[in-house]
Amino acid sequence: MSTPVKKVPIHLQSAQNRLLIKNGKVVNEDDIVEEDVYIEDGIIKQLGRNLIIPGGTRVIDARGKLVIPGGIDPHTHFEFEFMNTTSVDDFYQGTKAAVAGGTTMIIDFVLVKKGESLLDSYYSYRQKADEKVCCDYALHVIISYWNDKVFDEMSILCSEHGVNSFKTFMAYSFMLNDSELYSAFEACKKLGAVAMVHAENGSIVFKNTEKLLAKGVTGPEGHELSRPEEVEAEAVNRACTIANQVKTPLYVAHISNSHSAKIIAERQANGQIIFGEVLASAAALAGDRHNVTTITSPPLRSNSDTPSQLLGLLASNDLQLTGSDNCTFNKSQKEMGLNDFSKIPNGVNGVEDRMSVIWEKGVHSGLIDACRFVAITSTTAAKIFNLYPRKGCIALGSDADIVIWNPNKTRTISAKTHHQAVDFNIFEGMECHGVPEYVIVNGRVCVDDEQVKVVQGHGNYIECPVFPPFVYDIENASKLKPSDNGDANWVTQPTQKENDRKVCPTPTLPESSVSTPSCKGPRPEGQRNLQDSTFSISEDLDVARRACIKVQNPPGGKSSGFW
C-alpha cells in the first residue's frame, strides 16, 4: 500500500486556488452547454465564454471532452466490521480509489451494533474518517435495534450532527422485525430523515441456508440459492407496504433484479415516494455462483439478462441512482467460508470503477444518454440527501467537484493497476470507454492528466440537512434549479417531469466525434443549445462559436449557499 500523501501547507497551496477549465462541454442532468468554468477557493465562480479571470490562474484545456459533476457514491463501507472480519479499504485507500475513478464524494454507513449508542458509533466513525478522507464524505447511520433511546439519539444526530439518513436491515444479524421497521420509518418521517432499507427476507434466507447445508450444498453456489429473487422481491414489497402505512419516503438499496424493480415502479406510479438504487456490479455483471470473490447480498444474479434489464430501468427512471456498496474483503478473507457459504464475508469492490462501468454499459452501449449518466451517478444522490445544488451539478456557487471526462479514451480494469487495497477486482479485464482525465475535488486537481495526486485529509465531513425537498416535497422539488446569481440557492423554474423524460441514447463514441443526446430542460439565457446544432465534441470549438458570458460574481465574490 502506498504511503498516504500529507496535507500541503497553506503557503504552498496558492496555485490550487484558481483554475479555469476551457473549451469543454459542460454536462448537467438536464442540458449540455459549451462553456468555460472558472474556480476559485474551491467554488465555481464563473461560467460562460470570454471570462475575465485574474493572472496566475491555471488553465486546463478540455477541448473534445465532457465536464461533468463529480460522482457521488451513496453506498460505501470502509473499515466495516462484518462477519468476523473487517473490510480492507480504509477511509484513505477507499476515498483515494473513489477520486481516481471520478467520484468526489462518498456516503458511508455507521455500523451500530445491537445495544450500542448511535452517538458513540457516529463519533467513532468520524474519528476513523476525518484525518484520512481524500474527498468529502457524509454518513448514514444503521439502526440495528429499536427502543425510545434510539429515537432520542436519532434526533440528536439530525439536529446537531448533520445526519439525515438511517438504514435498516431485513436480513443479517442486525435485522429488524416488521414492528421495529414501522417504528424506525415513523421516526424518520418525524425527523425529516431518509429511511433506507436492505430488503431481503432474512428469516427465509436463514431457513434456506439451513436446508442447503443439511443437503451438503456448502460451496459458494449455495449463496444465491439461499436468497432467490422472490425472497428479495417479497421484502421490497413488505418494506414499501410498511413505509406506506406511515407515509414515509423510502430508499431501497441495491435492487438486484427486475421483479423487485417492478414493485418499486408500480408503487411510484401510485404516488408512493420510493427511490431505487442499483449497484455498478449488478448493472455490469451476471453472477458466477461458484466464484467466492463475487459473493454479496443481494447476490449478483446469474441470469445474464439482469444487468441490461437494470440499466434499462435506470434509463427510464423506474430506478433512480447508482452506488457501489463497496465492501471489500481480500481473497483470503472470502475463502474463510469456502466450505460453508454462510460464512463468506459479503461484499465486492466498485467505488473506483462505478463511473467507468456505468458509462461503458450504459452510455457507450446506447442505453443511457450523457445527461442521465450525470443524474444517476451524481445529481439524484445529491438531491435525495439534500446536498444539491452544493453538490451534483456544475452551477454558480456550487462546490468545485468536477470531472473532465474523456469519452474517447479507454482503460482496462485490473487489480494490478487499481488504487484499492483489495487484492482482486470483480471487473477484471473489462475494457471501459470513458476515462476521468482530471478530477477536481474542492477546487484542487487530484487526478491530473490521469495521474492520481490525492491528499490525505483533504476531504471534509459534510452535514446533510433534514427534510430534503426532493424527498419530502417532491412535486415542488422537481421544479427546483440552482439560481443564476451565484448563491446556489433553490429557485423555481418549469422543468420536464422526471418520469416523462425521454432517453436519447449515445450509441457510439468514435474517436472522430461524440454524439450529443437531447437532454431536455431549461438553459440559462444567452447560452447556445447544443441540441439544436450539429456540434461535434471533437470539432474546433473556436469555429462559429457564440460568446456566452455569465459573470454574476467577480473572482472572490460572494457565495452564500444554504450550507
Side-chain angles (χ1 to χ4, degrees):
M1 186 183 299
S2 59
T3 303
V5 179
K6 300 300 181 184
K7 275 191 172 181
V8 178
I10 292 175
H11 69 282
L12 296 179
Q13 292 183 13
S14 59
Q16 293 285 349
N17 289 342
R18 295 189 293 272
L19 180 66
L20 178 67
I21 303 170
K22 287 182 63 70
N23 302 324
K25 296 177 72 176
V26 173
V27 185
N28 279 309
E29 67 165 352
D30 56 2
D31 63 3
I32 301 179
V33 181
E34 298 174 61
E35 59 186 1
D36 302 336
V37 183
Y38 174 70
I39 298 161
E40 187 171 300
D41 295 329
I43 302 295
I44 297 172
K45 292 297 179 71
Q46 297 184 55
L47 291 168
R49 293 296 201 205
N50 304 322
L51 302 179
I52 301 171
I53 61 171
T57 298
R58 179 180 175 182
V59 178
I60 297 177
D61 190 349
R63 188 183 306 273
K65 303 176 181 71
L66 306 177
V67 182
I68 65 175
I72 299 173
D73 190 337
H75 196 151
T76 65
H77 296 282
F78 300 143
E79 301 184 43
F80 191 66
E81 297 178 14
F82 187 49
M83 298 183 75
N84 300 315
T85 189
T86 303
S87 60
V88 294
D89 282 314
D90 67 2
F91 279 95
Y92 167 68
Q93 203 73 29
T95 55
K96 176 182 179 180
V99 171
T103 289
T104 57
M105 181 173 180
I106 60 98
I107 311 182
D108 208 86
F109 289 84
V110 174
L111 173 61
V112 182
K113 296 177 182 176
K114 285 188 181 292
E116 289 186 349
S117 162
L118 276 65
L119 288 168
D120 288 347
S121 299
Y122 163 82
Y123 295 138
S124 175
Y125 267 76
R126 287 293 305 274
Q127 190 171 28
K128 289 179 185 179
D130 281 351
E131 296 304 315
K132 294 181 182 179
V133 289
C134 304
C135 64
D136 289 350
Y137 80 106
L139 291 170
H140 314 291
V141 174
I142 292 173
I143 304 300
S144 58
Y145 64 100
W146 187 258
N147 58 35
D148 290 341
K149 183 182 176 183
V150 170
F151 176 79
D152 293 339
E153 292 196 315
M154 288 173 67
S155 180
I156 294 170
L157 286 167
C158 288
S159 61
E160 299 180 17
H161 299 293
V163 173
N164 77 351
S165 49
F166 297 91
K167 186 178 181 183
T168 57
F169 283 79
M170 302 172 75
Y172 295 130
S173 60
F174 30 87
M175 63 184 285
L176 301 184
N177 62 37
D178 289 356
S179 175
E180 292 169 327
L181 284 171
Y182 187 108
S183 297
F185 291 171
E186 191 173 41
C188 287
K189 176 69 179 296
K190 289 178 181 177
L191 296 171
V194 180
M196 307 176 71
V197 67
H198 173 126
E200 290 183 290
N201 189 316
S203 298
I204 293 178
V205 171
F206 178 77
K207 297 301 291 185
N208 284 348
T209 299
E210 276 188 335
K211 185 190 299 184
L212 288 163
L213 291 173
K215 289 182 176 180
V217 180
T218 59
E221 67 276 8
H223 181 74
E224 185 180 7
L225 293 172
S226 70
R227 47 214 324 142
E229 293 185 8
E230 65 177 350
V231 170
E232 177 188 345
E234 183 279 331
V236 168
N237 187 62
R238 183 157 42 97
C240 292
T241 299
I242 295 170
N244 197 43
Q245 299 309 297
V246 291
K247 304 304 178 188
T248 302
L250 185 64
Y251 181 116
V252 184
H254 43 53
I255 296 296
S256 78
N257 65 85
S258 60
H259 300 298
S260 297
K262 287 175 182 176
I263 291 169
I264 290 176
E266 289 171 1
R267 293 266 181 176
Q268 291 169 340
N270 290 327
Q272 190 171 354
I273 300 173
I274 306 175
F275 305 100
E277 172 198 271
V278 177
L279 304 184
S281 53
L285 301 172
D288 177 357
R289 288 183 173 179
H290 302 284
N291 185 350
V292 69
T293 63
T294 61
I295 297 300
T296 189
S297 292
L300 296 179
R301 301 299 176 182
S302 53
N303 182 344
S304 60
D305 294 329
T306 296
S308 61
Q309 290 172 348
L310 293 174
L311 285 164
L313 291 161
L314 282 167
S316 64
N317 200 39
D318 289 317
L319 297 173
Q320 283 67 48
L321 72 167
T322 62
S324 69
D325 197 3
N326 192 96
C327 190
T328 49
F329 300 98
N330 280 334
K331 190 175 181 182
S332 59
Q333 292 172 294
K334 289 281 193 177
E335 289 179 344
M336 291 190 303
L338 198 58
N339 297 315
D340 181 349
F341 67 85
S342 67
K343 296 180 181 178
I344 301 171
N346 288 194
V348 294
N349 64 279
V351 73
E352 180 170 358
D353 300 313
R354 178 182 67 111
M355 300 281 281
S356 288
V357 164
I358 296 298
W359 183 276
E360 175 68 20
K361 299 296 184 179
V363 183
H364 186 71
S365 71
L367 289 172
I368 293 172
D369 64 64
C371 292
R372 184 64 182 160
F373 172 79
V374 165
I376 65 176
T377 59
S378 180
T379 309
T380 302
K383 289 181 176 181
I384 290 173
F385 298 106
N386 216 357
L387 298 164
Y388 183 89
R390 177 179 183 176
K391 306 284 188 183
C393 63
I394 296 177
L396 292 173
S398 297
D399 286 358
D401 289 349
I402 296 173
V403 177
I404 300 176
W405 189 268
N406 189 338
N408 294 317
K409 273 196 175 181
T410 62
R411 72 180 183 94
T412 300
I413 298 174
S414 174
K416 294 178 181 178
T417 55
H418 73 199
H419 298 84
Q420 301 198 237
V422 66
D423 57 5
F424 62 89
N425 192 308
I426 61 169
F427 306 111
E428 186 73 35
M430 183 184 294
E431 183 183 54
C432 291
H433 298 76
V435 173
E437 284 192 350
Y438 296 86
V439 180
I440 297 150
V441 180
N442 288 324
R444 181 185 181 87
V445 182
C446 290
V447 175
D448 197 338
D449 198 15
E450 298 184 57
Q451 299 301 307
V452 179
K453 300 177 179 179
V454 297
V455 177
Q456 177 172 312
H458 177 61
N460 302 298
Y461 174 73
I462 305 297
E463 294 190 356
C464 301
V466 293
F467 289 104
F470 189 69
V471 177
Y472 280 94
D473 190 13
I474 198 164
E475 288 187 9
N476 289 325
S478 66
K479 303 175 184 177
L480 296 173
K481 296 284 177 184
S483 65
D484 280 342
N485 63 8
D487 293 339
N489 289 322
W490 294 96
V491 296
T492 301
Q493 296 179 0
T495 188
Q496 184 180 25
K497 286 182 65 178
E498 279 294 318
N499 285 331
D500 293 338
R501 102 181 282 282
K502 293 183 179 180
V503 176
C504 304
T506 307
T508 58
L509 297 170
E511 187 65 33
S512 60
S513 67
V514 174
S515 60
T516 302
S518 175
C519 302
K520 303 291 186 182
R523 56 189 174 86
E525 188 64 31
Q527 291 184 358
R528 180 182 177 190
N529 184 346
L530 300 189
Q531 277 50 262
D532 294 338
S533 75
T534 56
F535 176 82
S536 166
I537 195 170
S538 62
E539 73 186 11
D540 187 352
L541 300 188
D542 291 320
V543 177
R545 182 168 59 210
R546 192 168 88 185
C548 307
I549 303 176
K550 297 195 319 180
V551 186
Q552 280 82 358
N553 276 325
K558 181 183 177 184
S559 176
S560 56
F562 66 85
W563 55 92

